[in-house]
Amino acid sequence: MIFETERLVIRKLHTSDIKEFYDMQNNPKVMQYIKDTMNRHQSELELKRFIDYYTNDTLYYNIWAVEEKKEQILIGICGVYKNIRSEYEIAYRLRESYWQKGFGKEIAKSLINYCFLETNIDELTAYVRTQNKGSISILEKEMQFVSEFYCEKASTYERVYKLKKKNWVVA
């Protein structure tokens, strides 16, 4: 276990998570603001890639399973990684059937707490497409809005949020 919240366990991903992972990766509503949906084979490769990062000492890339305690089932993923700008970026994604239940807020708040309490990270960043109103709502409460820009790679506008450890209040 990496950390836990009132309703969730954040742990390393396992190959046995593929059914629920694929359910998430193949859902157009879940992936619409992230990247293209993935078929079963692509989902297996992505899951393996995330798992392989756990033993890669050359990259800081941690994507973990979000498991609902009661059902003991994968409901999404979250994590922190060093992006191409050398920023520590947080990320989270939930299966559609777990939307609108407060899990996103619970994950974001706890992920920020974990990063500032358990790692040497001094600043976190989050990027979100401007159409993703759910994540924007969460990030507005947890981090500070920095800017909005046009992302060539995604052909859309994105918002940038940051939070420095010195400005953070443990929740």
Side-chain angles (χ1 to χ4, degrees):
M1 180 180 68
I2 309 299
F3 64 90
E4 65 181 322
T5 71
E6 182 182 325
R7 302 180 294 167
L8 305 169
V9 171
I10 311 306
R11 59 164 173 81
K12 288 184 177 180
L13 288 159
H14 306 293
T15 54
S16 60
D17 292 319
I18 188 58
K19 180 182 174 192
E20 293 81 15
F21 187 79
Y22 169 66
D23 175 68
M24 180 178 64
Q25 300 291 99
N26 188 251
N27 185 318
K29 289 182 181 176
V30 172
M31 302 302 284
Q32 68 182 327
Y33 305 124
I34 303 163
K35 56 182 167 183
D36 291 338
T37 58
M38 296 184 179
N39 63 32
R40 175 75 182 218
H41 179 69
Q42 291 167 321
S43 295
E44 289 170 353
L45 292 175
E46 179 97 328
L47 180 60
K48 182 183 181 322
R49 182 171 68 93
F50 290 159
I51 292 170
D52 288 347
Y53 285 139
Y54 300 147
T55 56
N56 185 336
D57 293 333
T58 61
L59 288 175
Y60 190 95
Y61 206 99
N62 297 302
I63 300 296
W64 302 302
V66 176
E67 182 179 284
E68 208 254 347
K69 284 181 180 177
K70 197 170 14 175
E71 294 182 31
Q72 295 185 341
I73 192 168
L74 180 100
I75 68 165
I77 58 174
C78 74
V80 59
Y81 58 93
K82 201 169 196 179
N83 66 24
I84 59 170
R85 297 172 193 87
S86 293
E87 302 164 315
Y88 290 98
E89 184 175 343
I90 62 166
Y92 50 89
R93 183 179 316 162
L94 288 171
R95 292 171 55 206
E96 185 181 6
S97 57
Y98 295 91
W99 290 0
Q100 304 296 317
K101 298 179 180 184
F103 289 121
K105 180 180 178 182
E106 191 172 330
I107 292 165
K109 188 180 292 281
S110 299
L111 183 57
I112 291 166
N113 287 345
Y114 170 82
C115 289
F116 287 151
L117 289 171
E118 303 297 331
T119 74
N120 292 323
I121 295 172
D122 289 320
E123 182 178 54
L124 294 170
T125 303
Y127 289 84
V128 60
R129 293 189 185 175
T130 55
Q131 306 96 321
N132 190 343
K133 303 300 183 199
S135 278
I136 287 173
S137 174
I138 291 167
L139 294 172
E140 290 280 332
K141 292 178 182 94
E142 303 302 326
M143 302 176 85
Q144 284 86 45
F145 170 74
V146 175
S147 65
E148 191 170 296
F149 68 98
Y150 185 76
C151 177
E152 295 284 338
K153 183 179 176 185
S155 300
T156 189
Y157 284 91
E158 293 192 5
R159 294 176 67 107
V160 182
Y161 291 86
K162 292 189 181 283
L163 181 62
K164 293 183 184 295
K165 187 174 185 175
K166 66 181 181 180
N167 299 329
W168 161 75
V169 178
V170 68

